[in-house]
Amino acid sequence: MRPSTRLVFAFLLLLLALVQAPGADAQERPVIVIDAGHGGSEAGVVVDDLVEKDLVLRLAFVTAAEFVREGFDVRLTRSGDYAVPWADRRALAESVDASLLIMLHMIRSDDPARHGAEIYFSEEAPSSLEAARVFGETLEREGLAVVLEPRTAPFLESPSVPTVMIEAGFLTNPVERRILQTDEYYRVLARRFVEAARATLGGG
């Protein structure tokens, strides 16, 4: 399946989940904002013919669909190949009074043996630190090596919305490069993200 076809398919899955989502009234559901990194002229990591901005958009669609199926209200900061300013990503989460902002990325290294996930957060926001800890522990239960790293960046420093930036894997690692192209693995990650979000928000 070509990357463009996969994107359309993932987006259709998300639309189907939105239509079929059961549960409480939308106003009563926690709002999760999912941010697919980069977009437009901002490609992110490029390894061979793999482009981070495209992969994380697919991951965002799969993740959004999983959150909707589990009864959350979901917003995406982008749904296509266009750039969104960093400030607007945070502003969207704050404007909808989000319970959590999950920023999705992938990473590279000069060492092809490096693998696992890295999670960035603001030390100045206790709720973000706690979210990062829970997400890290949840991904470790999936067998991933996880590094938690505090970062100083305005888009991570929302005073009202717990925010985590998840580097979901290394595109420069041959093993991770293969699995980071598969919707099956995206669904595994999405289920873990939902589990971590529930625990973070006190619902699991």
Side-chain angles (χ1 to χ4, degrees):
M1 190 181 294
R2 296 173 58 186
S4 60
T5 305
R6 290 195 186 101
L7 281 176
V8 171
F9 181 67
F11 191 52
L12 289 174
L13 282 178
L14 174 57
L15 289 176
L16 181 62
L18 286 167
V19 170
Q20 295 182 339
D25 184 273
Q27 293 182 342
E28 300 175 2
R29 299 198 300 262
V31 178
I32 305 296
V33 173
I34 299 171
D35 174 54
H38 307 290
S41 62
E42 302 172 11
V45 174
V46 178
V47 178
D48 298 329
D49 60 344
L50 297 178
V51 182
E52 180 187 358
K53 67 174 182 176
D54 298 331
L55 295 176
V56 294
L57 184 58
R58 281 172 50 198
L59 175 57
F61 285 152
V62 173
T63 299
E66 187 67 23
F67 270 101
V68 170
R69 276 193 292 268
E70 292 298 318
F72 290 85
D73 186 3
V74 176
R75 312 294 170 87
L76 295 170
T77 60
R78 70 177 179 98
S79 58
D81 185 15
Y82 49 85
V84 179
W86 286 110
D88 291 354
R89 298 169 191 256
R90 169 178 156 178
L92 170 64
E94 292 175 343
S95 69
V96 297
D97 195 23
S99 298
L100 189 65
L101 169 58
I102 303 172
M103 312 183 86
L104 299 175
H105 287 258
M106 294 177 188
I107 197 169
R108 65 169 298 131
S109 172
D110 292 334
D111 179 3
R114 285 192 67 184
H115 63 94
E118 295 190 356
I119 300 177
Y120 307 144
F121 60 95
S122 170
E123 283 186 307
E124 302 304 314
S127 61
S128 294
L129 190 157
E130 176 63 11
R133 183 191 66 78
V134 173
F135 272 75
E137 290 178 352
T138 304
L139 291 176
E140 284 177 341
R141 288 198 293 273
E142 190 59 45
L144 283 175
V146 179
V147 174
L148 301 183
E149 184 176 324
R151 289 281 180 97
T152 301
F155 53 84
L156 292 174
E157 297 170 355
S158 172
S160 59
V161 180
T163 303
V164 290
M165 176 182 283
I166 301 173
E167 301 277 2
F170 285 80
L171 290 177
T172 43
N173 179 287
V175 174
E176 288 194 340
R177 183 163 61 246
R178 286 195 296 273
I179 64 173
L180 287 169
Q181 301 176 59
T182 67
D183 289 340
E184 291 79 7
Y185 186 61
Y186 294 166
R187 284 190 285 270
V188 170
L189 289 177
R191 287 193 290 270
R192 289 301 188 187
F193 294 159
V194 170
E195 179 183 340
R198 287 198 184 281
T200 299
L201 302 177

